[in-house]
Amino acid sequence: MSVDGSTVAAVVVTHDSENFLPELIASIQGQTRPPDEVIVIDDHSSDATVALARKSGWRVEKATSPATDITTRIAQNFTQGLRAARDFNIVILSDHDDYWLPDRVDHQARQLHAHPGAWMLASGARIMGSEQTLRDTFPVPGDWEEMSPRRQLRYALRHSLATGGASAVRPRDLLDPANKATPIPAGWLHDRWWSLAATARGALVIDHHPVIEYRVQPDQQVGLAVGRQGSRIPKIRRSDARRAREVARLLM
């Protein structure tokens, strides 16, 4: 627990992650303020992932999602992690192949402390081995903070604003049934849905400070290397935008 009284857990979803975990483990152990607990939701790894996580003192739970499509499955795995960490004030989300910059926990805890009404903090990232940053791919208008909630939501419906690996959330707010952020509808990624839910309530904070080095791989199942993330200013397809508007009505 920090001097401001907040407790912080990290939630990592893994699957056959032994090639990446040593770097992630080292970066978490090297934090200026380590998380109070690291919770791993392991999706049936067949390699040394679970052994590496447990050797590091991390808590490991077996993924329980029955979903067959990867998008829904990942979202449900992170939701399981959020429920496992619900007693913490802050949950830092992490992909298994990211590298945390040394001040990540301290920075994100301070940012959320400064924004007590926030459900989600969407921080920045450096793209590993590149001059590119996360904001090059997930751009945000310069006047975001001055925009009306309606304009913010309109923009968020057409543009991704956050990636889970660089985000931190307040679990109790996202898990509160009254806030309609969980359960996540089938076919939606956790970061996309939670950022929309938070934007709809004026509870999303955009943070440009980089907190991770984000790894882009050609075999990624979701993320920057997949689908519509290749252009400099990616937009959600029109069909997705229409669907998002329909779902946004349920959030309001």
Side-chain angles (χ1 to χ4, degrees):
M1 183 178 292
S2 72
V3 292
D4 62 20
S6 64
T7 55
V8 180
V11 168
V12 184
V13 170
T14 58
H15 172 71
D16 290 345
S17 308
E18 66 176 358
N19 290 335
F20 307 112
L21 273 191
E23 282 190 84
L24 177 61
I25 290 168
S27 70
I28 293 178
Q29 290 176 341
Q31 290 294 296
T32 56
R33 173 190 170 181
D36 298 294
E37 185 169 19
V38 179
I39 299 170
V40 172
I41 306 301
D42 184 69
D43 200 341
H44 305 281
S45 291
S46 58
D47 60 7
T49 295
V50 171
L52 284 169
R54 287 181 172 152
K55 185 179 179 181
S56 299
W58 295 358
R59 172 177 155 196
V60 180
E61 290 190 7
K62 183 178 178 180
T64 59
S65 172
T68 54
D69 78 277
I70 191 64
T71 300
T72 301
R73 191 176 186 87
I74 290 172
Q76 291 179 352
N77 288 344
F78 273 102
T79 301
Q80 180 182 341
L82 203 67
R83 294 188 186 282
R86 70 181 308 147
D87 290 334
F88 291 85
N89 302 120
I90 296 168
V91 168
I92 291 180
L93 307 176
S94 182
D95 296 327
H96 68 167
D97 56 351
D98 291 331
Y99 183 88
W100 292 19
L101 298 176
D103 69 340
R104 176 177 189 176
V105 177
D106 183 60
H107 173 79
Q108 294 194 305
R110 288 176 184 273
Q111 286 292 305
L112 283 172
H113 181 67
H115 297 86
W119 299 356
M120 183 174 189
L121 174 70
S123 294
R126 302 172 189 162
I127 308 304
M128 198 175 292
S130 168
E131 303 260 340
Q132 188 182 16
T133 70
L134 182 67
R135 289 295 165 223
D136 292 328
T137 303
F138 293 148
V140 176
D143 62 344
W144 172 262
E145 293 185 2
E146 287 73 45
M147 291 167 63
S148 68
R150 186 171 183 174
R151 282 187 61 211
Q152 286 183 344
L153 184 57
R154 186 182 301 122
Y155 186 88
L157 289 171
R158 291 186 172 275
H159 301 79
S160 292
L161 298 175
T163 184
S167 297
V169 300
R170 285 199 169 94
R172 292 167 198 165
D173 288 319
L174 293 184
L175 292 171
D176 185 342
N179 292 337
K180 302 179 182 179
T182 52
I184 300 170
W188 288 83
L189 277 172
H190 58 291
D191 47 8
R192 179 82 177 118
W193 179 259
W194 287 340
S195 64
L196 278 175
T199 301
R201 294 294 191 276
L204 176 70
V205 173
I206 300 294
D207 171 36
H208 298 284
H209 182 81
V211 295
I212 63 169
E213 289 190 359
Y214 183 94
R215 192 188 307 267
V216 178
Q217 305 174 73
D219 59 348
Q220 278 178 316
Q221 293 172 304
V222 296
L224 299 186
V226 179
R228 299 180 299 280
Q229 302 297 346
S231 64
R232 181 172 177 79
I233 305 180
K235 290 194 175 183
I236 309 303
R237 290 179 305 187
R238 288 184 181 179
S239 59
D240 290 351
R242 285 195 297 270
R243 181 185 181 206
R245 290 190 189 95
E246 293 169 3
V247 175
R249 292 191 197 100
L250 300 177
L251 291 171
M252 300 301 290

